[in-house]
Amino acid sequence: MNNVIKITGLDCANCARELEEEIEKVSGVNSVTVDFMAQKVLVDCDGQTLEKVKNCCNNFEEVKVVEESAPEKSDGEKLKITGLDCANCARELEEDLNKIEGVSATVDFMNMSVVLSARDTEARDKAIYTINHFEEVKIVTDKPAKKGVIREHLKDIILIAVSLVFFIPAFVLDLTGIAYDTLALKIVTYVFFGIAYIAVGYKVLINTAKNIAKGKIFDENFLMTVASVGAILLGIFEGEGFAEGVAVMLLYQIGELLQAVAVGKSRGSISALMDLKSETATLIEGDTTRVVKPESLKVGDLILIKAGEKVPVDCKIIDGESSLDLKSLNGEPLPRDVKAGDEIMSGGVNLSGVIKCEVLREYENSAGAKILETVENSTAKKAKPEKFITKFAKYYTPAVCAAAIIVAAIVPTIICAVNSSFVWATYAEWIYKALGFLVISCPCALVISVPLSYFGGIGRCAKFGILVKGSTCLDELALAKVAAFDKTGTITEGAFAVKSFTDKRTLSLAAAAEKFSSHPIAAAFSEVESNETVTEAKELAGRGIVCLCDGKELLCGNAKLLDESGVKFEKVKSVSTVVYVSLDKKFVGVVEIDDKIKSGAKEAVAALKAQGIQYTKILTGDSAERAESIAAEAGLDGCAASLLPDEKLAEAQKLKERGKLIYVGDGINDAPVMTVADCAVSMGKVGSDAAIEASDIVLVSDNLPLLPKGRKIAKGTRRIVFQNIFGSLLIKLAIMALDIAIVGFPLIVSVVADVGVMLIAVLNAMRTNLIK
């Protein structure tokens, strides 16, 4: 019995393979396929065995089974939200949602969205309620209007301004000692401090109360409440006022505002990059035109693109010429001149003339739509550093809180016991130190800077037309040590032409058969006329075409095809691609096909080697002579030729023994290899849908030199990620050590350090947008 199990948490194609192997070991499983892209397990087994398979999935790394009745779309329902103030809150909201039975959710802080899969309407309603009642978060149905920085954060700015208006005079009175000259001034000072504190702290206090009621205490609201209230109470008991307690909350909120502005700036840069979609298209209908949505266009429709308009879908120019601004697709500043016969991608801007075009791909399959979809969904696949930080934050904050309790209660108790006396000053000093622990323990710097770094790196890649399907893919690209390439359409142009042939009969038969082939080589015969009648054509992957010509078996393909069919023939030695033709088991002749190495391929290989790729190789079904010639010309270290798809797979497995593997391909034969590669790269412009779906990275403009560019961005992004992780932890540990070691270490220093670390980490993360 065939069953479909929907899953979540499957982060890479290689993990899909490993999960498939684990399920195959389950007794009662007849066959199984793990579909990484669709996040599904297709398994042939009975109902009892199905439960065992589900358990196997649930026990495999981060994978979880989603009920079969979940929404059909594998990535779930996407909900846009507002009011999510920090990345740590996003993690907490995600945990709350996933606790609901029948719900699987991913909260994307950077895109301000929730991807929600619910088993039924009741589960969905519970999830919606949870989202709308989580602190200040609300679901929005309309696209939020663009606002300036001040307008967007106006409420917070006003509250901070009100707090400062009351805090500054109170602080001056407190600092000079004038506040304590008379009771009236003391009351005024305390009232001013109170207003200043409530203005910036009321939201934190309310959220703390709500979270405690829910049993959630180890979040930043709780930490800041305890730290600020503790400082206020200590100040009052010590007779020193509570300026420091108010300052803790005020500086914290200023830090939150600066963080929101910085993150908003990063989001804005990505939003500007993603402004690829044209809202309208001009459809030509006979002698008239009408304005329609790009989504309504169909393949073959004729459209008019005027100067200043965006290209709505991928299309082919049939009349006119112009210049296109393609910065949003490939990052290149210079416009590209186009004319009739040229294919153009959606997202470009028509700079000059009016052009008439034929739609080649519907909107959802166009380059612009793919870029938008990839970047929007890129945060769903989390890299190991992201997963580490998410788990680390869950345990780090409670651990620091436990350390604060030890510092506040146990240490002074031991000191007093040793001195055989109870001294309040001793307890006050160590409670004060413990408050410093609580302030510095906020995990925001870590929780936000790591995903922000990856988000920026993925956006930077997208700016050059390099679509990265998640931070996991970016990491694998950075860490790879081996690169393997398909030959045709990847290293070479794939624009084939007939170079030579045995006779006209051979050429005519080959042309008749090859019109049924989807292989790029078949294009070489498009201009060849043939009077042969061919039926029942069947394409054999990695071999060629088998068909009937006047009732006789016609074979057209490589030497393996004829060998397997028992046809006697002499193999031709040539650096070109040789197509062998036989009719009725008798050898007819050969056609030699040739193409040339792609512009920039040699430079791309050299750049990858300069970036640390230790071994490069061609994997191809073409002849050894041709493969060796192309490998030498492109500067590759080796080649494996005459490979069938399963042999390519085996060769890729061998290469992985040398280190993490990048595989670059463009054809349907490459899809199986891509599933086992650590980082699979497809050539988007000419690549098959199967290769693009199986890949981790898509080069939209079919330009191989983009690969080393993407690797450089990936390595830079990973470097920034670890700078943020280790830098933030080291500074926080250093402040904790100073807090313990120095008598009277100011609490304000801990607050400033926490805010400073967070801002430095965020600004450092934004440097991914500057990687050249």
Side-chain angles (χ1 to χ4, degrees):
M1 178 180 176
N2 292 318
N3 301 279
V4 178
I5 303 173
K6 293 189 177 183
I7 56 174
T8 61
L10 194 60
D11 290 327
C12 68
N14 195 45
C15 296
R17 178 187 59 79
E18 292 174 359
L19 175 57
E20 196 171 283
E21 290 175 354
E22 289 297 317
I23 296 173
E24 285 174 346
K25 296 174 185 176
V26 176
S27 177
V29 171
N30 300 319
S31 65
V32 60
T33 300
V34 177
D35 187 339
F36 166 59
M37 293 307 300
Q39 295 279 290
K40 292 180 181 179
V41 176
L42 311 174
V43 58
D44 181 9
C45 65
D46 57 31
Q48 188 175 358
T49 306
L50 184 62
E51 292 304 315
K52 295 179 184 178
V53 173
K54 287 183 180 180
N55 289 334
C56 182
C57 292
N58 282 325
N59 291 316
F60 183 84
E61 296 184 1
E62 303 294 321
V63 174
K64 294 296 175 189
V65 171
V66 180
E67 293 295 329
E68 283 84 348
S69 56
E72 190 60 33
K73 195 174 178 182
S74 63
D75 58 357
E77 175 187 11
K78 179 172 265 188
L79 304 171
K80 283 288 183 182
I81 58 175
T82 60
L84 193 60
D85 291 330
C86 72
N88 199 42
C89 297
R91 176 184 63 80
E92 291 173 359
L93 174 57
E94 188 174 294
E95 288 179 355
D96 286 353
L97 289 171
N98 286 315
K99 287 175 184 175
I100 301 171
E101 187 176 351
V103 169
S104 174
T106 300
V107 178
D108 184 348
F109 173 60
M110 292 309 307
N111 282 314
M112 292 294 273
S113 64
V114 177
V115 178
L116 181 70
S117 293
R119 180 179 58 199
D120 50 35
T121 304
E122 183 182 355
R124 183 184 182 276
D125 289 344
K126 287 181 180 178
I128 298 297
Y129 180 87
T130 300
I131 295 169
N132 282 324
H133 288 80
F134 184 88
E135 297 184 1
E136 304 294 319
V137 176
K138 296 294 176 189
I139 295 172
V140 292
T141 53
D142 298 323
K143 186 177 180 181
K146 290 184 179 179
K147 301 177 182 179
V149 172
I150 293 177
R151 189 179 167 195
E152 185 176 354
H153 303 286
L154 184 60
K155 183 180 178 181
D156 292 328
I157 292 171
I158 290 172
L159 289 173
I160 289 172
V162 169
S163 182
L164 285 170
V165 165
F166 285 94
F167 176 77
I168 292 172
F171 180 69
V172 171
L173 291 171
D174 181 74
L175 188 66
T176 59
I178 298 174
Y180 308 106
D181 289 345
T182 64
L183 180 60
L185 279 174
K186 187 173 183 179
I187 291 172
V188 169
T189 302
Y190 276 32
V191 169
F192 276 26
F193 274 143
I195 295 172
Y197 182 80
I198 295 299
V200 289
Y202 80 95
K203 272 203 310 184
V204 175
L205 296 173
I206 291 171
N207 288 334
T208 299
K210 285 181 179 179
N211 290 338
I212 289 175
K214 296 176 185 177
K216 291 165 52 181
I217 58 173
F218 294 117
D219 71 339
E220 62 176 4
N221 292 300
F222 174 79
L223 295 175
M224 296 314 303
T225 298
V226 173
S228 59
V229 171
I232 288 170
L233 293 175
L234 272 179
I236 293 173
F237 290 147
E238 294 289 308
E240 298 174 357
F242 51 94
E244 199 163 33
V246 180
V248 166
M249 187 63 76
L250 181 57
L251 285 171
Y252 166 71
Q253 291 292 33
I254 291 173
E256 289 293 292
L257 175 62
L258 293 174
Q259 171 189 296
V261 171
V263 173
K265 185 172 179 6
S266 180
R267 280 201 189 108
S269 66
I270 298 297
S271 298
L273 168 68
M274 292 296 97
D275 191 22
L276 298 174
K277 184 181 177 182
S278 172
E279 297 300 324
T280 60
T282 303
L283 177 65
I284 300 173
E285 296 177 319
D287 296 330
T288 64
T289 62
R290 68 184 173 97
V291 177
V292 298
K293 290 285 186 183
E295 292 88 342
S296 67
L297 295 173
K298 295 181 174 57
V299 175
D301 282 348
L302 298 180
I303 59 174
L304 202 65
I305 306 173
K306 302 172 186 176
E309 292 182 344
K310 291 176 187 170
V311 179
V313 292
D314 294 354
C315 51
K316 182 178 182 179
I317 300 174
I318 59 174
D319 187 29
E321 56 183 45
S322 183
S323 293
L324 293 183
D325 179 354
L326 300 174
K327 284 197 297 289
S328 296
L329 290 169
N330 58 20
E332 297 299 330
L334 293 178
R336 173 187 158 203
D337 293 330
V338 291
K339 59 184 184 306
D342 290 342
E343 291 185 16
I344 57 177
M345 293 185 289
S346 61
V349 179
N350 184 15
L351 296 177
S352 51
V354 178
I355 50 178
K356 183 178 179 181
C357 304
E358 179 185 355
V359 175
L360 294 179
R361 282 176 282 277
E362 293 179 358
Y363 172 76
E364 63 179 11
N365 296 318
S366 289
K370 286 182 178 179
I371 292 175
L372 285 166
E373 181 184 3
T374 301
V375 175
E376 284 184 357
N377 297 329
S378 62
T379 52
K381 294 183 187 177
K382 296 179 180 179
K384 287 182 180 179
E386 280 188 274
K387 291 179 181 177
F388 164 75
I389 288 301
T390 302
K391 290 182 179 178
F392 179 80
K394 286 179 67 176
Y395 300 109
Y396 162 73
T397 305
V400 175
C401 288
I405 292 172
I406 293 171
V407 169
I410 297 176
V411 173
T413 300
I414 293 172
I415 292 172
C416 289
V418 170
N419 296 328
S420 300
S421 63
F422 175 83
V423 181
W424 165 246
T426 301
Y427 276 90
E429 178 188 343
W430 287 93
I431 290 172
Y432 188 77
K433 289 180 181 293
L435 295 178
F437 264 55
L438 294 178
V439 169
I440 201 66
S441 67
C442 285
C444 279
L446 292 167
V447 176
I448 191 174
S449 64
V450 173
L452 184 60
S453 300
Y454 281 115
F455 191 73
I458 290 168
R460 184 66 173 162
C461 283
K463 191 170 184 180
F464 295 102
I466 307 164
L467 302 192
V468 183
K469 296 182 180 179
S471 52
T472 303
C473 311
L474 205 65
D475 259 9
E476 296 293 359
L477 178 61
L479 294 170
K481 295 296 180 186
V482 183
F485 303 83
D486 177 45
K487 181 181 73 68
T488 305
T490 302
I491 295 294
T492 62
E493 289 283 358
F496 294 95
V498 174
K499 180 182 177 182
S500 65
F501 48 92
T502 303
D503 51 39
K504 289 185 178 179
R505 169 71 167 160
T506 303
L507 182 61
S508 180
L509 287 169
E514 290 290 345
K515 71 180 181 181
F516 294 99
S517 175
S518 61
H519 195 282
I521 285 178
F525 297 91
S526 60
E527 303 297 324
V528 178
E529 293 184 5
S530 175
N531 297 320
E532 306 292 342
T533 302
V534 170
T535 58
E536 298 183 30
K538 181 181 179 183
E539 186 168 13
L540 302 179
R543 293 172 178 82
I545 298 286
V546 178
C547 51
L548 293 180
C549 181
D550 296 329
K552 299 175 183 178
E553 184 183 62
L554 172 61
L555 304 179
C556 182
N558 58 25
K560 280 189 177 181
L561 179 64
L562 271 65
D563 277 332
E564 291 172 357
S565 300
V567 178
K568 294 182 179 179
F569 68 102
E570 291 289 331
K571 290 185 180 179
V572 176
K573 289 186 177 181
S574 174
V575 295
S576 301
T577 298
V578 178
V579 177
Y580 295 85
V581 180
S582 77
L583 184 64
D584 198 22
K585 301 293 182 182
K586 295 178 183 177
F587 178 63
V588 176
V590 299
V591 179
E592 290 188 67
I593 307 294
D594 216 342
D595 66 344
K596 62 180 181 179
I597 191 170
K598 275 189 175 181
S599 173
K602 184 175 181 179
E603 291 77 10
V605 172
L608 286 171
K609 288 183 176 181
Q611 292 174 356
I613 294 294
Q614 297 170 357
Y615 186 74
T616 56
K617 192 171 188 177
I618 281 181
L619 305 182
T620 180
D622 206 347
S623 68
E625 293 85 357
R626 179 64 178 154
E628 287 170 4
S629 172
I630 293 296
E633 189 177 351
L636 292 147
D637 298 316
C639 68
S642 304
L643 300 175
L644 296 176
D646 58 332
E647 292 172 331
K648 264 192 179 184
L649 203 63
E651 193 67 34
Q653 294 282 20
K654 289 179 187 176
L655 288 174
K656 287 184 70 173
E657 295 173 6
R658 292 173 173 260
K660 286 186 177 291
L661 172 66
I662 299 171
Y663 181 78
V664 190
D666 75 307
I668 194 165
N669 292 343
D670 298 315
V673 186
M674 287 180 166
T675 61
V676 302
D678 297 289
C679 180
V681 181
S682 66
M683 311 295 281
K685 186 177 176 184
V686 298
S688 74
D689 288 341
I692 291 173
E693 287 301 310
S695 63
D696 302 303
I697 295 173
V698 180
L699 306 182
V700 174
S701 60
D702 197 25
N703 185 6
L704 197 57
L706 288 176
L707 182 58
K709 186 174 287 189
R711 180 170 160 87
K712 185 176 181 182
I713 294 170
K715 289 169 77 73
T717 300
R718 187 172 169 82
R719 184 167 57 252
I720 289 170
V721 164
F722 281 95
Q723 285 173 356
N724 282 337
I725 291 174
F726 292 112
S728 299
L729 286 176
L730 285 173
I731 293 173
K732 285 177 178 288
L733 291 173
I735 295 297
M736 289 180 190
L738 291 172
D739 186 30
I740 292 292
I742 299 175
V743 176
F745 187 77
L747 185 61
I748 292 297
V749 174
S750 295
V751 180
V752 172
D754 180 60
V755 172
V757 168
M758 179 269 296
L759 288 176
I760 290 169
V762 169
L763 292 172
N764 192 43
M766 291 172 67
R767 286 199 306 116
T768 51
N769 294 311
L770 303 175
I771 298 172
K772 294 183 178 179

